[in-house]
Amino acid sequence: MSEIKVTERTRVKRGRKIANYDRDTIYSILDEAWVCNIGVSRDGQAMVQPTSHWRIGNELFLHGSVKNGLFQQVMKGETACITLFLLDGLVFARSAYHHSVNFRSVVVYAKGRLVEDPQEKRQALDAMLDKYSPGRSAEARPPNNIEMKATAVFAFPIEEVSAKIRVGGPNEEPEDMALDIWAGVKPVVSVVGELIPD
Amino acid sequence: MSEIKVTERTRVKRGRKIANYDRDTIYSILDEAWVCNIGVSRDGQAMVQPTSHWRIGNELFLHGSVKNGLFQQVMKGETACITLFLLDGLVFARSAYHHSVNFRSVVVYAKGRLVEDPQEKRQALDAMLDKYSPGRSAEARPPNNIEMKATAVFAFPIEEVSAKIRVGGPNEEPEDMALDIWAGVKPVVSVVGELIPD
């Protein structure tokens, strides 16, 4: 257990009881999620994009086109807000109000570092492939110089970060417990099927 | 088919070939996705939060605490950027570079309207429950006045919006096609399990 230092931006204000600042727990959510959302501000307007991400040590990696407007703001030094969300279940309560979802979410605030060292960049891109399919980077034809240049890779320190985790059944009002209304949790899982060959 | 009018903010610049501005297609993605991400800018800093959403006609609805910092910015008239992403498959190419994902995504730019009319608000909250489980709003104990006041509901017009849809197998370089490397698509589906009773 290693506790993350909480900042004003990452202190969970709503749902304090489900806040989590444990580094290993946060890493596990980052590693399990396949998609994050990154937001930056440009001329006072938030722009948000879904994208894939992966983690190496204490840095979160994203990749994209160098011409991408959002990543251009990252390169200008704008602090990004990156969110991840794993939906684990639909929570059915006896009252409409207490319906909820079980989930694990992470919010990271960080400035991005453009990965320029060719070796570090190659290792980072390999790690991305291996996240989605372990060992894949050793099987696929490696990127050539043109392909390496077409992709920008950014590393974000995982320092200013918080998680929220909701588990379990519905929170109910005591007076609702006698109502004859079914309640409980419907689990939600993401399933990967068999390869459909090209 | 009803085409959405494209604005500078919603014109897809990266991946133009997979851009989609068809209203019915966009509605179907909004309706299928269970989680969106909303971003707004506060003092020049983007804040992003995952949250549930639902659609009624041409408006996208979100709910949250009136004390939530992000929704307070919405109430101040900040334009939000709302994204949705459905992961449909992992795309394995013979080359590392051409690995990709099949997905359907939507980006909406809009100002939010606080839903204040009690009847409209109640109908909106019923519609949220019925999205996650059709007919649920008629079964559950309805919200009382205190519960109604604890939740803020916002409606965002679905006007400045674009989608991206990627389907199919890998795009490969012709010279890679003879390589003896397996390639194809691994479908990803979200599965809802049986109710685990409370």
Side-chain angles (χ1 to χ4, degrees):
Chain A
M1 288 270 291
S2 151
E3 276 294 293
I4 298 277
K5 190 165 160 274
V6 181
T7 71
E8 178 53 29
R9 278 198 293 224
T10 57
R11 187 169 57 82
V12 172
K13 289 144 204 117
R14 306 289 116 215
R16 245 173 266 191
K17 286 179 193 166
I18 61 170
N20 190 304
Y21 301 99
D22 174 58
R23 188 173 288 281
D24 291 339
T25 304
I26 287 168
Y27 283 176
S28 75
I29 299 169
L30 296 175
D31 293 349
E32 186 174 332
W34 276 340
V35 178
C36 72
N37 273 263
I38 176 170
V40 296
S41 186
R42 182 168 68 180
D43 303 330
Q45 170 63 53
M47 316 164 67
V48 185
Q49 281 175 22
T51 189
S52 53
H53 67 275
W54 67 102
R55 182 180 68 83
I56 302 174
N58 196 36
E59 288 184 304
L60 189 65
F61 285 76
L62 273 68
H63 78 313
S65 164
V66 281
K67 293 178 185 166
N68 179 295
L70 192 151
F71 285 118
Q72 285 180 348
Q73 291 302 107
V74 171
M75 282 191 274
K76 281 182 190 166
E78 283 286 339
T79 298
C81 178
I82 302 171
T83 62
L84 302 94
F85 186 92
L86 294 168
L87 179 64
D88 292 326
L90 306 179
V91 181
F92 292 84
R94 291 159 184 87
S95 59
Y97 179 72
H98 283 295
H99 280 70
S100 187
V101 292
N102 284 337
F103 67 93
R104 289 165 287 158
S105 69
V106 168
V107 177
V108 182
Y109 282 94
K111 289 182 193 293
R113 169 177 70 85
L114 182 66
V115 176
E116 294 183 283
D117 176 76
Q119 198 186 337
E120 186 192 10
K121 187 173 177 180
R122 175 63 194 281
Q123 284 172 349
L125 290 168
D126 282 355
M128 173 176 60
L129 275 196
D130 291 337
K131 173 187 175 179
Y132 290 86
S133 184
R136 185 65 180 167
S137 69
E139 296 165 5
R141 192 265 290 160
N144 59 36
N145 285 342
I146 294 166
E147 291 169 343
M148 284 295 284
K149 280 179 188 159
T151 309
V153 174
F154 298 91
F156 297 83
I158 305 168
E159 286 301 340
E160 194 171 354
V161 58
S162 64
K164 273 188 180 181
I165 301 175
R166 190 203 190 281
V167 293
N171 303 322
E172 302 271 18
E173 301 301 326
E175 61 269 29
D176 290 334
M177 291 301 288
L179 296 175
D180 183 25
I181 300 166
W182 57 270
V185 176
K186 276 189 186 174
V188 178
V189 283
S190 224
V191 177
V192 180
E194 286 300 300
L195 186 78
I196 302 168
D198 182 38
Chain B
M1 288 271 288
S2 153
E3 279 289 298
I4 299 275
K5 189 165 162 275
V6 182
T7 71
E8 179 52 30
R9 279 198 292 225
T10 57
R11 188 168 57 81
V12 173
K13 288 141 204 125
R14 307 287 116 217
R16 244 173 268 195
K17 286 179 192 165
I18 61 169
N20 190 304
Y21 301 99
D22 174 57
R23 187 173 288 279
D24 291 339
T25 304
I26 287 168
Y27 283 176
S28 74
I29 299 169
L30 296 175
D31 293 348
E32 187 175 329
W34 276 340
V35 178
C36 71
N37 272 263
I38 175 169
V40 297
S41 187
R42 182 169 68 180
D43 303 330
Q45 170 64 52
M47 316 165 66
V48 185
Q49 281 175 21
T51 188
S52 52
H53 67 275
W54 66 103
R55 183 180 67 83
I56 302 174
N58 196 37
E59 289 183 305
L60 189 64
F61 286 76
L62 274 67
H63 78 314
S65 164
V66 281
K67 293 177 187 168
N68 179 294
L70 192 151
F71 285 118
Q72 284 180 348
Q73 292 302 110
V74 171
M75 282 190 274
K76 281 182 189 164
E78 283 286 339
T79 298
C81 178
I82 302 170
T83 63
L84 301 96
F85 187 90
L86 294 168
L87 178 64
D88 291 326
L90 307 179
V91 181
F92 292 84
R94 291 160 184 86
S95 59
Y97 179 72
H98 283 295
H99 280 69
S100 187
V101 292
N102 283 337
F103 67 93
R104 289 164 287 158
S105 69
V106 168
V107 177
V108 182
Y109 282 94
K111 289 183 194 292
R113 171 176 69 84
L114 181 67
V115 175
E116 294 183 282
D117 176 76
Q119 198 185 337
E120 187 192 8
K121 186 173 176 180
R122 175 64 194 280
Q123 285 172 349
L125 289 169
D126 282 354
M128 173 176 60
L129 275 197
D130 292 337
K131 173 188 175 180
Y132 290 86
S133 183
R136 185 65 181 167
S137 69
E139 296 166 5
R141 192 263 293 158
N144 59 36
N145 284 342
I146 295 166
E147 291 169 344
M148 285 294 285
K149 279 178 188 159
T151 309
V153 173
F154 298 91
F156 297 82
I158 306 168
E159 285 302 339
E160 192 170 353
V161 58
S162 64
K164 273 188 178 180
I165 301 174
R166 191 204 190 279
V167 292
N171 304 320
E172 302 270 18
E173 302 301 327
E175 60 269 29
D176 290 333
M177 292 303 288
L179 297 175
D180 183 24
I181 301 167
W182 57 270
V185 176
K186 275 189 187 174
V188 178
V189 282
S190 224
V191 177
V192 180
E194 286 300 300
L195 185 78
I196 301 169
D198 182 38

